[in-house]
């Protein structure tokens, strides 16, 4: 029997200590954070939607030479999967950060992520308990919000059907060099439901989609439940995890400062238009969600916010102007924040350039601190009595590295 690939939850210091560290600007103690009990968290309050705005902003088409990475996460959210949800929430920013330095021929890729819940009777699910939570999006704050809104319920886990739906419902790229990946995680036999998993996975393969399976439980049990067979049908990887595993994560002396700078970044965003304020509130809410999990999670989110993968051109004028989505001179004064309303075109441009410079300085500082943090943690882990178990970031990272090599895409 092969050893299980563990998927731990990274547990941080108690929320009150994390908040204190942020407010006071003091470095976190360099010691392991003890594991704390995970609890069922209530759904995150929904950010009010401005009238006439779409629930999901369409993905801006990638540039002709820009690589495309598409990842569809299919999560079992039945009654026994609370641990999986907690792990997905905790690991989201680590997964995204895998791509923070990705490039092909010097061009950074566009990262799109979609989310499905299956085995779930929550509103929006079909008769077989499958729901598209989010189509492909580059809006990472919206993705985080939707992850935190998921609740466990139901009990019919139809793997073949959710793969079939994701294959046909999502806007998969037609670019032959695009990285198209499905990750499906759950714990029941892959054979359940009216859609034959063999046909569903083969259908995905025909569209150039690689299906990777993550069984939440014993390795051999996953094999007998056909999780490994399903992955093999689409040249994917089979992995197994203990979805309830908890570990201690080392603290680093840079943690509190990175988290503080991540919160400071919010001040450089210039909300505009009908949806601007609601998205700014979402940004703040996802900071709080991450901090509520652990200081480590907030640190990872802050690192994401300092990277090119975190772009908000749909509501932030700095990103919108930078990506040529908006001519700031033509924006109605009523759609601008108060400090910009009395400015002429040149004044608007100068004001935005100042915000962009402030953001760049903060992002560069976060990146420099994170490099020191990663070096510290690498050395600290060498001193641990036993090696740490693999994480969701590591499990997905193994697949991503393999797929990246096929497409001449470098991740570092």
């Amino acid at each position: 029997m092969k050893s299980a690939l563990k998927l731990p939850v990274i547990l941080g210091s108690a929320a009150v200590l994390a908040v204190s560290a942020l407010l006071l600007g003091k470095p976190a103690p360099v010691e392991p954070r003890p594991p704390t009990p995970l609890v069922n968290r209530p759904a995150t309050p929904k950010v009010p939607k401005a009238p006439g705005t779409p629930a999901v902003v369409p993905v801006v088409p990638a540039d002709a030479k820009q690589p495309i990475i598409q990842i569809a996460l299919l999560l079992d959210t039945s009654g026994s999967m609370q641990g999986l949800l907690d792990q997905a929430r905790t690991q989201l920013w680590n997964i995204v950060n895998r791509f923070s330095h990705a490039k092909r021929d010097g061009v950074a890729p566009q990262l799109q992520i979609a989310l499905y819940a299956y085995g779930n009777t929550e509103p929006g699910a079909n008769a077989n308990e499958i729901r598209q939570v989010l189509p492909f999006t580059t809006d990472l704050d919206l993705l985080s919000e939707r992850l935190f809104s998921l609740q466990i319920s139901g009990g019919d886990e139809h793997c073949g059907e959710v793969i079939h739906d994701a294959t046909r419902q999502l806007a998969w790229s037609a670019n032959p060099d695009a990285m198209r990946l499905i990750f499906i995680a759950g714990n029941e036999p892959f054979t359940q439901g009216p859609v034959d998993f063999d046909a569903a996975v083969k259908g995905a393969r025909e569209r150039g989609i690689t299906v990777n399976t993550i069984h939440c439980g014993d390795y051999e049990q996953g094999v007998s439940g056909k999780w490994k067979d399903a992955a093999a049908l689409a040249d994917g990887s089979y992995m197994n995890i203990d979805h309830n595993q908890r570990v201690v994560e080392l603290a680093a002396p840079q943690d509190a400062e990175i988290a503080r700078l991540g919160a400071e970044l919010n001040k450089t965003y210039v909300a505009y238009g009908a949806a601007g304020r609601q998205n700014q509130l979402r940004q703040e809410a996802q900071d709080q969600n991450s901090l509520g999990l652990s200081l480590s999670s907030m640190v990872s989110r802050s690192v994401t916010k300092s990277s090119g993968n975190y772009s908000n051109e749909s509501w932030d004028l700095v990103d919108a102007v930078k990506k040529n989505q908006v001519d700031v001179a033509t924006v109605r004064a009523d759609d601008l924040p108060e400090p910009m309303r009395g400015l002429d075109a040149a004044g608007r441009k100068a004001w935005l350039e100042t915000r962009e410079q402030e953001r760049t300085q903060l992002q560069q500082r976060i990146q420099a601190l994170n490099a020191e943090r990663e070096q510290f943690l690498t050395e600290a882990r060498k001193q641990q009595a036993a090696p740490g178990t693999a994480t969701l970031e590591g499990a997905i990272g193994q697949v991503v590295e393999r797929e990246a090599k096929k497409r001449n895409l470098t991740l570092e």
Side-chain angles (χ1 to χ4, degrees):
M1 181 184 297
K2 297 184 181 179
S3 60
L5 175 62
K6 304 294 186 182
L7 174 56
V9 179
I10 298 178
L11 297 170
S13 57
V16 63
L17 294 179
V19 173
S20 297
L22 287 176
L23 294 177
L24 298 176
K26 296 180 180 179
V30 184
E31 60 183 19
R33 301 184 181 101
T36 55
L38 291 175
V39 297
N40 290 344
R41 298 180 180 85
T44 302
K46 293 184 177 180
V47 175
K49 181 174 175 288
T53 59
V56 182
V57 177
V59 174
V60 176
D63 296 335
K65 295 183 178 180
Q66 187 175 25
I68 298 173
I69 299 173
Q70 294 181 311
I71 296 176
L73 299 175
L74 283 46
L75 303 181
D76 178 354
T77 53
S78 60
S80 59
M81 290 289 108
Q82 184 63 52
L84 178 63
L85 282 185
D86 285 318
Q87 291 170 5
R89 293 161 179 162
T90 304
Q91 293 291 323
L92 171 62
W93 304 112
N94 285 337
I95 294 170
V96 172
N97 289 338
R98 279 271 176 173
F99 304 96
S100 60
H101 300 293
K103 282 185 174 60
R104 181 198 292 150
D105 298 328
V107 181
Q110 182 185 75
L111 176 63
Q112 305 174 19
I113 302 179
L115 179 62
Y116 276 75
Y118 71 102
N120 189 296
T121 57
E122 289 288 302
N126 66 16
N128 291 328
E129 303 183 7
I130 293 173
R131 176 164 57 108
Q132 183 190 91
V133 180
L134 198 63
F136 280 127
T137 184
T138 57
D139 189 336
L140 298 178
D141 287 342
L142 181 58
L143 174 63
S144 175
E145 179 184 80
R146 296 292 174 86
L147 262 178
F148 275 88
S149 73
L150 292 179
Q151 299 292 302
I152 55 171
S153 68
D156 292 329
E157 295 96 317
H158 297 174
C159 296
E161 186 174 359
V162 71
I163 291 172
H164 175 276
D165 287 357
T167 298
R168 285 157 178 76
Q169 293 173 358
L170 294 174
W172 295 97
S173 172
N175 187 324
D177 290 328
M179 186 186 298
R180 294 173 287 264
L181 304 175
I182 284 177
F183 289 91
I184 179 169
N187 70 339
E188 292 295 328
F190 222 81
T191 52
Q192 289 188 10
V195 177
D196 179 56
F197 80 85
D198 187 287
V201 175
K202 287 180 178 178
R205 183 185 63 192
E206 290 169 359
R207 300 190 181 203
I209 304 166
T210 302
V211 178
N212 305 279
T213 63
I214 304 174
H215 180 251
C216 300
D218 178 73
Y219 181 93
E220 295 299 341
Q221 185 180 29
V223 171
S224 63
K226 303 298 182 181
W227 286 77
K228 185 175 182 180
D229 289 353
L233 288 170
D235 192 31
S237 295
Y238 165 61
M239 297 158 280
N240 77 299
I241 61 174
D242 177 356
H243 59 292
N244 292 316
Q245 179 71 27
R246 303 173 188 174
V247 300
V248 174
E249 176 68 4
L250 289 175
Q254 298 83 10
D255 285 354
E257 180 64 5
I258 292 175
R260 186 188 69 80
L261 293 173
E264 283 291 309
L265 273 174
N266 295 0
K267 299 177 182 178
T268 71
Y269 282 80
V270 183
Y272 75 101
R277 181 54 182 161
Q278 74 173 53
N279 283 283
Q280 200 162 39
L281 290 173
R282 176 179 289 123
Q283 182 184 60
E284 295 168 2
Q286 299 324 300
D287 281 358
Q288 292 304 311
N289 276 337
S290 292
L291 186 58
L293 288 174
S294 70
L295 186 57
S296 291
S297 181
M298 180 58 185
V299 169
S300 295
R301 172 169 163 79
S302 299
V303 173
T304 296
K305 289 165 70 176
S306 72
S307 75
N309 286 320
Y310 189 77
S311 183
N312 296 284
E313 61 269 18
S314 67
W315 64 272
D316 167 53
L317 265 180
V318 175
D319 281 343
V321 171
K322 185 177 181 180
K323 295 197 172 186
N324 298 315
Q325 298 297 312
V326 170
D327 180 358
V328 69
T330 65
V331 179
R332 294 188 315 129
D334 289 347
D335 288 334
L336 293 171
E338 185 63 36
M340 294 185 68
R341 291 181 181 176
L343 302 177
D344 59 14
R348 292 179 178 186
K349 181 180 178 182
W351 200 86
L352 287 179
E353 286 176 348
T354 299
R355 303 289 84 71
E356 183 176 6
Q357 291 170 3
E358 292 170 350
R359 185 180 304 176
T360 299
Q361 292 171 358
L362 289 168
Q363 290 174 329
Q364 290 175 344
R365 180 58 179 155
I366 289 172
Q367 289 289 327
L369 284 169
N370 188 56
E372 296 174 8
R373 177 179 183 266
E374 289 299 320
Q375 183 176 2
F376 172 87
L377 291 177
T378 297
E379 294 301 317
R381 286 170 184 141
K382 291 178 182 179
Q383 308 302 319
Q384 290 181 298
T389 53
T391 66
L392 179 58
E393 171 200 356
I396 291 180
Q398 292 173 23
V399 175
V400 168
E401 287 178 7
R402 184 189 70 176
E403 296 298 317
K405 289 179 181 178
K406 293 181 182 178
R407 296 165 178 81
N408 298 316
L409 187 70
T410 59
L411 298 179
E412 296 295 338

